[in-house]
Amino acid sequence: MKPSLEESIPLWHTLSSEAVLSRLKSTPAGLTGAEAARRLAEHGANELQAVHRISPWTLLFEQFKNVLIVILLVATAFSTFLGHGIEAIAIAVIVLFAVLLGFGQENRAERAIEALRQMAAPMAVTLRDGQEVQIPARDLVLGDVILLRTGDKIPADVRLIEAINLQIEEAALTGESIPVEKHATSIADGELGLGDRKNMAYAGTTATYGRGRAVVVSTGTNTEFGKIAQMLKTVESGKTPLQENLNRVGHTLARAALVVVAIIVALGLFRGQPFVEMFIFGIALAVAVVPEALPAVVTISLAIGVQKMVKRHALIRRLPVVETLGSTSVICSDKTGTLTKDEMMARKIFVAGQMLNISGAGYEPHGQFSRDGITVEPSQPMKLLLRAAALASDTHIGHSESDDRWHVKGDPTEGALVVVAAKAGLNKADLELQFPRVNEIPFTSETKRMTTLNDGPEGVAAYSKGAPEIILDTCIRQLTAEGEVALEGASREAILKTARQMASEALRVLAVAFKPLATLENAEQEMTFLGLVGIIDPPRSEAMAAIQKCEQAGIKPVMITGDHRLTAQAVARELGLLKTGRIVTGAEMEAMSETEFDRQVENIEVYARVSPAHKLRVVTALQKKEHIVAMTGDGVNDAPALKKADIGIAMGITGTDVTKEAADMTLTDDNFASIVAAVEEGRGVFDNIKKYLMYLLSSNIGEIGLMAGATVLALPLPLSAVQILFVNLATDGLPALALAVDPPESGLMRRKPREPRTGIFTRPVLILMVVGGLWSTAVNLGLFTWALNSGRSLKEAMAMTFVSLVLIQFFKAYNFRSDRRPVLNQPFANKWLNLAIVWQLLLLVLIIYVPFLQEPFGTLNLPLDYWVITIILAFTVSPVLEIAKWLVRRGWFGKMG
């Protein structure tokens, strides 16, 4: 799209309506059809440009850039060339499985822009040639004058030139939970944030009340909505810690394979062994040193974690995110709809000189009134107050069978008044039948009140609600427990002080008054003050417990919201989120240098009045401190930060399509507590991948050590190539896969998060791997040497060594179920491991005793005493590993991973 006219004058809210129209060369009657067509051709359509998509073929090719996949393909080619068809098929299936899984997961990337396109208003009512016409929103141009009515989605960024009781819901863009009252007068302050530009309306927001007229000042990607789309385009998504770990493992194993194979083959050739025999030997070793099931096992572990998390209300888009979530150290959470219910609720009521608390949740018309913790029944003054508040409202509540929830039809704040009246037994529909409305004085941003006249048994009465100072100015009496009394100056000031105190608790305070025997002319004169109602978007009841669990797990929760400072502070304190840290506003962030902000970011617990760019800055600063950052949110404004964060978490119920597509994970119940469950699953998955790697690489060390030792000692090959491949592909396979689904260890959520970039191979893990591998090498090499020196044939010695190596790995599988707990702690809790070992034992017996398998595998019938010797020697690895774990628990080898 070509540059827009507005680029030179970005602060439209500071100009008068006339000046805006003049700058855009437009009139209150709009543009002519010809001029609109010219501008459309010059500046382009009012739509978001789709990001260039990566082709499926490119995505598929990307899967083969992983060094492990490349090694596996080479191994497959060699196995096929050497005639090992079964082994080649097994490797090829694993490669295909890993490639297709990776391709399928990444094929949904970069769809956030498409969701943004769909959210744009499809049609708009504009003035062309002085006439109202409905046109596609994409055809709007700068200078178009559009008409706004209740329920309209704003199709572009506009400057209001007329606003009649106009209120716009901007929560998806600014995070403000209450519809914003709009006006058409200019605002001098050029530093105001989006949420405070009351004479502007932005693309993607919705008019909830009133009507207006506006001139288009920004279209397409130049709108605030479009800028978010551009931010989504430019934000880079880094690799997860798991991906980085696996890449490091792959490169290390590849180098180790080449070095070890080259040395052993060179020594064999130097001793005069046949070239072909040493070539086969080298290929077998190369295959053995690479954990060929690594991509498959990791994928399976993550996929199983995903399935478990779906049952716990968390839906994952990319498999590696499961592990990343388990290492999360900071959760940046939006307030509205995430930590709070995004449902206005009356929390306190001041009536007859007493402050009462109101219980209940959301828009459900059930709750109690209490004073000092003691439940009280609604008094007559309270019933009159609530009747007046409900009758002076246009909103209704209703129960939806589809989602079994209560909803408001109309303004959320009025909905809170209707709900609290219902809690006192005053149903809005019944009240309207008993006291039908005969006239009204509608709310305006100037009067800041609404008054209705309702007929009743005692005649027409006026009921009014609005800002406390406005309502009090029209009252000469107040209702007390003893009845009506004169409203004196001291009482008036006391009421205003009470209202200010309630406001300091982040309550939106409304005053209510009435006048009996009223007419339209005197309805708002000489009224009787009934009381105050304090309304808030309440914290979720489960969010407090979830935050406590996060803190026990070493995760720091941070609130990031577009709401005002007082509101954010009150909600954060109630949730237990604000403790010793600071509250910082977007304006204060702007005043901080990068260095200063980076220094303070870890001490800030609440951010208020922030924009999408601020949220990105917070996430980026935390990542600079080596934190793994999760960002939760539901509005369009959260999408860029969700994508930048190590893991973005969207809300499934209240979240927009944009956030769901930009996020890595979606909470299907919008429950903050589900994040804790997801963290537990993520930690369990990482633990299981670590168990698998410890077991498999320790086994491979044992295999390589055995072959290398025999070569150095100038002994015959202790295993044939087929035996090596069987041990590596078959014996290592099923037990390793079973470890990938091992039940989680107790105390997972009492551990602190891992150091972000530590990886799997901590010093204790390496110690256990090496100890297990070296002991396996020593036992099997010793057995092979003893068998040869005791007069047994080479075939018998090889068969005994083959059986011993297999059995050692069976025992190690149980030892490596934990790198910290003793093996006797629920040793058989993993039923899949038990079944895998039984199956592999059956295969081993068949290979030893079935005649047609003996020849290809180089085995023979082993007598009982051979079995006794090999079993005893193989079992010794278990106590050796337990001694090593005991030393690890006592810190001999450094901090545990």
Side-chain angles (χ1 to χ4, degrees):
M1 184 186 294
K2 296 180 180 180
S4 300
L5 295 176
E6 76 273 19
E7 288 181 357
S8 59
I9 312 227
L11 301 178
W12 296 103
H13 67 280
T14 64
L15 302 178
S16 67
S17 300
E18 295 76 14
V20 172
L21 289 169
S22 175
R23 295 294 183 101
L24 293 172
K25 296 181 174 59
S26 183
T27 70
L31 302 172
T32 64
E35 175 62 15
R38 187 191 69 78
R39 294 188 183 191
L40 183 64
E42 180 181 353
H43 301 299
N46 175 35
E47 60 183 357
L48 303 181
Q49 296 176 335
V51 176
H52 174 67
R53 286 190 171 186
I54 301 174
S55 72
W57 289 110
T58 303
L59 276 178
L60 190 61
F61 178 74
E62 288 290 325
Q63 308 305 310
F64 292 95
K65 289 187 176 180
N66 186 309
V67 66
L68 288 173
I69 297 295
V70 174
I71 293 174
L72 291 176
L73 291 175
V74 173
T76 302
F78 275 121
S79 296
T80 304
F81 174 76
L82 296 173
H84 302 303
I86 295 176
E87 292 80 4
I89 291 172
I91 299 173
V93 168
I94 292 171
V95 171
L96 182 63
F97 181 67
V99 166
L100 291 180
L101 258 291
F103 170 75
Q105 287 300 316
E106 294 184 16
N107 197 32
R108 296 182 59 202
E110 307 303 325
R111 290 178 58 187
I113 302 301
E114 291 300 315
L116 279 167
R117 289 167 64 91
Q118 295 173 7
M119 287 185 67
M123 303 296 290
V125 178
T126 186
L127 296 177
R128 293 279 173 88
D129 299 311
Q131 302 295 317
E132 283 189 26
V133 292
Q134 189 175 47
I135 64 172
R138 69 183 304 276
D139 292 340
L140 284 176
V141 296
L142 299 180
D144 258 329
V145 174
I146 64 172
L147 306 181
L148 301 176
R149 299 184 178 92
T150 300
D152 286 349
K153 182 172 283 189
I154 312 301
D157 285 2
V158 297
R159 166 67 161 85
L160 295 167
I161 58 177
E162 180 181 84
I164 302 173
N165 301 330
L166 182 63
Q167 297 182 18
I168 294 181
E169 170 64 65
E170 297 180 340
L173 187 65
T174 67
E176 180 67 57
S177 57
I178 299 172
V180 179
E181 298 174 20
K182 297 293 185 176
H183 59 76
T185 57
S186 61
I187 305 173
D189 189 351
E191 302 298 322
L192 289 179
L194 295 181
D196 295 319
R197 298 179 186 180
K198 302 297 180 66
N199 57 9
M200 299 288 294
Y202 298 101
T205 60
T206 305
T208 60
Y209 193 82
R211 56 190 173 87
R213 185 175 299 209
V215 58
V216 175
V217 297
S218 293
T219 60
T221 53
N222 291 312
T223 64
E224 296 298 328
F225 212 74
K227 292 173 184 175
I228 293 176
Q230 293 300 309
M231 292 165 73
L232 283 171
K233 267 176 65 176
T234 57
V235 170
E236 297 181 0
S237 299
K239 289 185 177 181
T240 68
L242 180 63
Q243 290 171 321
E244 294 176 355
N245 290 338
L246 293 185
N247 281 338
R248 286 198 296 269
V249 171
H251 285 94
T252 301
L253 292 175
R255 288 192 292 267
L258 291 175
V259 171
V260 172
V261 170
I263 292 174
I264 293 178
V265 170
L267 287 174
L269 293 175
F270 179 77
R271 292 206 318 267
Q273 292 183 276
F275 174 80
V276 174
E277 180 181 347
M278 291 311 301
F279 181 75
I280 295 174
F281 182 50
I283 291 298
L285 276 178
V287 172
V289 78
V290 178
E292 61 286 319
L294 178 57
V297 169
V298 169
T299 300
I300 290 170
S301 298
L302 296 173
I304 290 172
V306 167
Q307 293 170 3
K308 291 180 179 178
M309 291 171 73
V310 167
K311 296 177 182 177
R312 302 178 77 170
H313 308 291
L315 180 64
I316 300 298
R317 285 189 63 218
R318 295 189 304 112
L319 291 181
V321 168
V322 180
E323 180 274 336
T324 310
L325 187 66
S327 63
T328 298
S329 56
V330 178
I331 297 177
C332 298
S333 173
D334 188 43
K335 178 187 73 68
T336 304
T338 308
L339 293 169
T340 65
K341 296 177 68 67
D342 199 14
E343 297 175 344
M344 302 304 290
M345 170 186 168
R347 174 65 62 82
K348 289 188 174 184
I349 183 170
F350 178 73
V351 61
Q354 295 182 333
M355 184 69 73
L356 303 176
N357 294 312
I358 309 165
S359 67
Y363 296 129
E364 293 185 13
H366 310 294
Q368 294 180 323
F369 302 88
S370 64
R371 183 176 63 252
D372 299 328
I374 301 174
T375 301
V376 298
E377 293 299 319
S379 62
Q380 286 305 315
M382 184 195 300
K383 287 185 176 181
L384 179 55
L385 163 63
L386 296 178
R387 183 179 79 191
L391 288 173
S393 300
D394 292 326
T395 299
H396 292 77
I397 61 171
H399 184 265
S400 172
E401 298 295 335
S402 60
D403 60 3
D404 194 28
R405 297 177 64 191
W406 287 85
H407 299 271
V408 296
K409 299 176 182 178
D411 180 75
T413 301
E414 287 191 349
L417 297 176
V418 173
V419 169
V420 71
K423 291 177 181 178
L426 302 175
N427 182 275
K428 177 74 183 303
D430 294 339
L431 288 174
E432 289 178 334
L433 289 175
Q434 187 177 359
F435 302 94
R437 185 181 298 185
V438 296
N439 217 325
E440 69 178 272
I441 303 174
F443 174 90
T444 68
S445 56
E446 289 77 23
T447 62
K448 295 184 179 180
R449 67 186 300 165
M450 175 179 177
T451 303
T452 64
L453 284 84
N454 300 73
D455 198 4
E458 300 177 0
V460 176
Y463 300 99
S464 187
K465 72 177 191 308
E469 63 276 11
I470 301 296
I471 295 295
L472 280 171
D473 281 347
T474 61
C475 293
I476 62 171
R477 292 178 296 275
Q478 65 174 322
L479 186 63
T480 68
E482 291 75 28
E484 291 189 25
V485 298
L487 183 59
E488 305 293 346
S491 298
R492 192 183 303 270
E493 182 55 37
I495 292 171
L496 287 174
K497 183 178 179 181
T498 300
R500 287 192 294 270
Q501 174 60 36
M502 294 171 69
S504 70
E505 299 173 18
L507 297 173
R508 185 182 187 188
V509 185
L510 294 178
V512 183
F514 95 114
K515 179 178 182 178
L517 302 176
T519 65
L520 187 62
E521 291 72 22
N522 65 13
E524 295 181 343
Q525 301 171 15
E526 299 182 347
M527 303 190 79
T528 299
F529 175 78
L530 299 178
L532 303 171
V533 182
I535 299 170
I536 194 172
D537 179 11
R540 290 180 175 272
S541 57
E542 64 274 13
M544 187 179 302
I547 287 172
Q548 291 174 350
K549 289 182 180 179
C550 284
E551 292 174 344
Q552 290 172 1
I555 300 169
K556 179 182 179 179
V558 176
M559 179 191 292
I560 305 183
T561 178
D563 258 347
H564 292 279
R565 185 188 194 111
L566 275 179
T567 304
Q569 179 177 354
V571 172
R573 288 198 186 281
E574 186 168 349
L575 286 167
L577 188 149
L578 184 60
K579 294 181 176 62
T580 58
R582 293 181 52 195
I583 299 178
V584 172
T585 65
E588 292 170 344
M589 282 182 63
E590 292 284 356
M592 291 185 189
S593 66
E594 286 296 322
T595 303
E596 183 182 2
F597 182 66
D598 289 346
R599 187 174 64 251
Q600 298 187 30
V601 67
E602 291 181 301
N603 297 321
I604 302 172
E605 293 175 332
V606 177
Y607 296 86
R609 226 58 186 147
V610 295
S611 68
H614 294 143
K615 295 184 178 186
L616 275 176
R617 187 180 178 190
V618 171
V619 172
T620 303
L622 286 168
Q623 289 174 332
K624 287 181 183 177
K625 296 289 187 179
E626 298 297 318
H627 286 289
I628 298 295
V629 183
M631 170 71 185
T632 72
D634 57 358
V636 177
N637 58 314
D638 296 320
L642 291 187
K643 191 173 182 183
K644 173 62 177 174
D646 297 281
I647 174 165
I649 307 171
M651 302 296 111
I653 297 175
T654 59
T656 60
D657 289 342
V658 180
T659 53
K660 292 175 186 176
E661 291 298 328
D664 303 296
M665 182 178 84
T666 299
L667 301 181
T668 57
D669 62 350
D670 285 13
N671 192 335
F672 193 83
S674 297
I675 298 175
V676 181
V679 168
E680 184 175 5
E681 293 295 341
R683 292 186 176 189
V685 165
F686 188 83
D687 263 14
N688 286 349
I689 293 173
K690 182 169 63 175
K691 295 171 190 177
Y692 158 77
L693 283 173
M694 282 195 302
Y695 165 70
L696 191 59
L697 297 183
S698 175
S699 299
N700 288 347
I701 289 172
E703 297 164 17
I704 295 170
L706 172 61
M707 291 300 190
T711 302
V712 170
L713 296 176
L715 295 174
L717 295 179
L719 295 175
S720 69
V722 173
Q723 288 173 339
I724 292 174
L725 292 172
F726 173 82
V727 171
N728 189 55
L729 293 175
T731 309
D732 290 358
L734 285 181
L737 290 173
L739 286 175
V741 294
D742 204 47
E745 296 184 35
S746 59
L748 264 182
M749 296 305 291
R750 290 192 294 273
R751 301 181 195 169
K752 299 298 181 184
R754 300 186 323 276
E755 293 296 326
R757 307 299 170 187
T758 297
I760 293 176
F761 299 108
T762 59
R763 185 180 298 174
V765 168
L766 289 172
I767 291 295
L768 292 175
M769 282 171 38
V770 171
V771 167
L774 291 181
W775 189 259
S776 174
T777 297
V779 167
N780 289 310
L781 191 59
L783 174 63
F784 182 66
T785 304
W786 171 81
L788 289 177
N789 293 335
S790 63
R792 290 169 175 80
S793 67
L794 176 60
K795 193 171 186 179
E796 287 177 312
M798 292 176 67
M800 291 181 69
T801 304
F802 172 61
V803 171
S804 174
L805 180 59
V806 171
L807 293 180
I808 277 180
Q809 300 193 140
F810 288 169
F811 286 120
K812 282 199 291 188
Y814 285 98
N815 285 98
F816 283 127
R817 283 194 59 234
S818 175
D819 61 341
R820 56 190 77 205
R821 290 186 296 108
V823 69
L824 295 179
N825 189 337
Q826 297 181 318
F828 304 110
N830 188 340
K831 65 177 181 179
W832 299 111
L833 179 60
N834 300 334
L835 290 173
I837 296 299
V838 170
W839 170 251
Q840 296 299 338
L841 280 174
L842 177 61
L843 286 180
L844 181 63
V845 171
L846 292 177
I847 288 171
I848 296 297
Y849 292 107
V850 174
F852 74 85
L853 293 177
Q854 288 178 338
E855 183 175 349
F857 281 94
T859 59
L860 45 74
N861 294 340
L862 292 180
L864 180 61
D865 59 327
Y866 284 28
W867 278 101
V868 171
I869 293 171
T870 55
I871 290 174
I872 290 175
L873 288 175
F875 177 75
T876 59
V877 75
S878 189
V880 168
L881 283 173
E882 288 307 301
I883 292 172
K885 280 199 277 187
W886 182 82
L887 294 174
V888 165
R889 288 195 298 271
R890 277 150 184 78
W892 281 46
F893 306 114
K895 185 178 178 181
M896 298 190 69

